[in-house]
Amino acid sequence: MTLVIPTFNEADNIPELLDRITAAVPPGREITVLFVDDSTDDTPEIIEKEALRTPLEVSVHHRAVPVGGLGGAVMEGIDRSGSRWVVVMDADLQHPPALLPELIARGEETGAELVVASRYAGGGDRSGLANRYRVLVSGASTSAAKLLFPKVLREVTDPMSGYFAIRREAIGRAQGPGAPRPLGYKILLELIVRCRPRSVAEVPYDFGVRHAGESKSTVREGLRFLRHLIRLRTTSGTPSRALAFGAIGLSGFLPNLALLWFLTRTTGLHHTAAEVIANQAGMVWNFVLIELLLYRGRKQMGPRARLLSFVALANLDLVARIPLTLLLVSGLGLTPVPATALAMVLVFALRFLCVDRFLYR
């Protein structure tokens, strides 16, 4: 078994953490403890010092460039391990090391490829979350993940857990374009979606209070998680990207209507001219969200060229819809409502394909 522990400025936690891991490992159990460190303090030096007094095999790999955040550190640790089971846990002692033997035992007993230490399974507890804000964020993140991935997460109550054991064969299943590409500190969801473990088991646990140091859960990390969640959903295929594209398009009605209200109420501008201007605001809104959430990392043109191309496509959408509707009414004999609906679907599909295949190819 390899225990992978990502660290970022956790120097004060290392001595106690290694003491508890040593006490938790039963006699005869072979275990390698691998710290993958992104610290800017003396954490790697403390690990090396404490490893000398620890009866376990302990090593530290310090990354000069922390690619992918803590999730990237976990994946690098997994790549460096060669054991049948890999266990991942944090260094802040909110994950109890005493649970290590039970995680592996549950996997061996059930034949599961993934065993998750869950705060939400029967008997689990999340009281170690620092405040109501973190409780709210944790619950909202879990709900969002399960909403977007209902099938793959049906057996998992805590997809945001940072404490789990996974078999080597499950990790090796995700290769090439489907290989994990972590972003931020939530790696379990990435592994479930990319690796699709054939069976999952859970072990409830009490999420403890941080022993020392500061939490890595920040607003910035929350935004990275949201972006990562959308990327995971949309990289699973063209239909998923099309749904996300449509949802972003619908959200553009908010700035459109807000600016239309402002222009007609405060400037006296005619509603037709106001609608044209407001429509451009909605297009820019959509462009920004698509850039940040949907096609991040798939940009070959410059930003100005992308914006102008996107706005041109959106305006062509409006121009093409009216004659297409007339054609459907006069040529196919449809009534105006279904003709308009069909025209909207066809034009949307054409615009999505232009954006997906050419603008962000």
Side-chain angles (χ1 to χ4, degrees):
M1 175 180 74
T2 300
L3 176 58
V4 175
I5 306 175
T7 49
F8 179 75
N9 297 346
E10 300 283 2
D12 292 339
N13 290 319
I14 300 303
E16 180 67 19
L17 175 63
L18 286 175
D19 284 345
R20 294 193 192 181
I21 293 173
T22 301
V25 176
R29 164 72 74 175
E30 292 187 6
I31 177 173
T32 299
V33 182
L34 172 59
F35 290 90
V36 184
D37 182 71
D38 295 337
S39 298
T40 56
D41 64 1
D42 61 345
T43 296
E45 289 77 19
I46 296 296
I47 294 172
E48 291 176 347
K49 176 184 175 183
E50 294 298 319
L52 297 176
R53 67 170 186 83
T54 303
L56 305 176
E57 181 182 345
V58 178
S59 61
V60 57
H61 168 62
H62 179 73
R63 304 195 304 166
V65 181
V67 178
L70 291 180
V74 170
M75 286 310 305
E76 191 158 339
I78 289 174
D79 290 341
R80 287 173 169 268
S81 67
S83 56
R84 183 185 181 192
W85 280 100
V86 178
V87 180
V88 176
M89 69 182 299
D90 291 343
D92 54 16
L93 291 167
Q94 290 185 294
H95 298 155
L99 201 65
L100 284 168
E102 187 173 352
L103 288 175
I104 303 300
R106 182 65 58 86
E108 296 291 357
E109 291 168 3
T110 62
E113 290 189 332
L114 173 68
V115 183
V116 179
S118 173
R119 297 164 292 182
Y120 301 105
D125 184 79
R126 60 176 180 173
S127 58
L129 291 171
N131 49 48
R132 291 183 178 179
Y133 166 75
R134 286 198 63 195
V135 171
L136 177 63
V137 169
S138 176
S141 300
T142 299
S143 298
K146 292 181 77 67
L147 180 65
L148 288 177
F149 299 97
K151 185 176 180 180
V152 296
L153 297 181
R154 64 181 180 274
E155 299 178 11
V156 184
T157 62
D158 194 357
M160 301 296 103
S161 178
Y163 195 11
F164 58 89
I166 187 168
R167 290 181 188 261
R168 170 66 50 189
E169 53 263 37
I171 300 168
R173 197 172 296 130
Q175 301 292 336
R181 290 176 290 165
L183 177 66
Y185 66 110
K186 296 299 183 184
I187 186 61
L188 176 59
L189 177 64
E190 173 98 13
L191 289 172
I192 294 173
V193 172
R194 302 286 190 190
C195 301
R196 301 295 174 104
R198 294 195 173 102
S199 57
V200 179
E202 291 190 329
V203 175
Y205 83 106
D206 293 343
F207 187 68
V209 178
R210 168 175 273 274
H211 179 71
E214 298 181 355
S215 171
K216 309 304 184 292
S217 179
T218 62
V219 173
R220 182 179 179 183
E221 284 295 337
L223 294 175
R224 290 179 75 182
F225 168 72
L226 178 61
R227 191 169 75 241
H228 188 200
L229 194 63
I230 294 173
R231 187 182 74 180
L232 275 175
R233 179 67 274 176
T234 56
T235 53
S236 60
T238 300
S240 295
R241 288 198 301 276
L243 288 174
F245 188 87
I248 290 174
L250 288 174
S251 74
F253 282 113
L254 296 175
N256 187 318
L257 294 175
L259 185 56
L260 180 63
W261 177 87
F262 175 79
L263 291 174
T264 54
R265 288 294 186 90
T266 62
T267 67
L269 196 66
H270 190 273
H271 68 83
T272 302
E275 172 57 31
V276 172
I277 297 173
N279 191 66
Q280 307 310 307
M283 293 178 197
V284 173
W285 167 278
N286 290 343
F287 174 77
V288 171
L289 290 185
I290 284 171
E291 286 270 303
L292 292 176
L293 301 177
L294 192 54
Y295 291 110
R296 191 179 182 90
R298 290 179 61 182
K299 303 167 185 175
Q300 297 188 13
M301 301 181 186
R304 182 178 298 177
R306 292 196 304 274
L307 174 60
L308 292 176
S309 299
F310 184 86
V311 170
L313 283 170
N315 281 297
L316 284 174
D317 179 318
L318 294 175
V319 173
R321 197 184 307 158
I322 295 175
L324 181 56
T325 301
L326 292 175
L327 177 63
L328 292 172
V329 171
S330 60
L332 297 181
L334 297 179
T335 57
V337 172
T340 301
L342 181 57
M344 292 178 67
V345 171
L346 292 174
V347 171
F348 167 80
L350 181 60
R351 177 152 63 105
F352 168 71
L353 289 175
C354 288
V355 170
D356 192 66
R357 293 290 184 263
F358 299 105
L359 188 56
Y360 292 97
R361 61 185 180 278

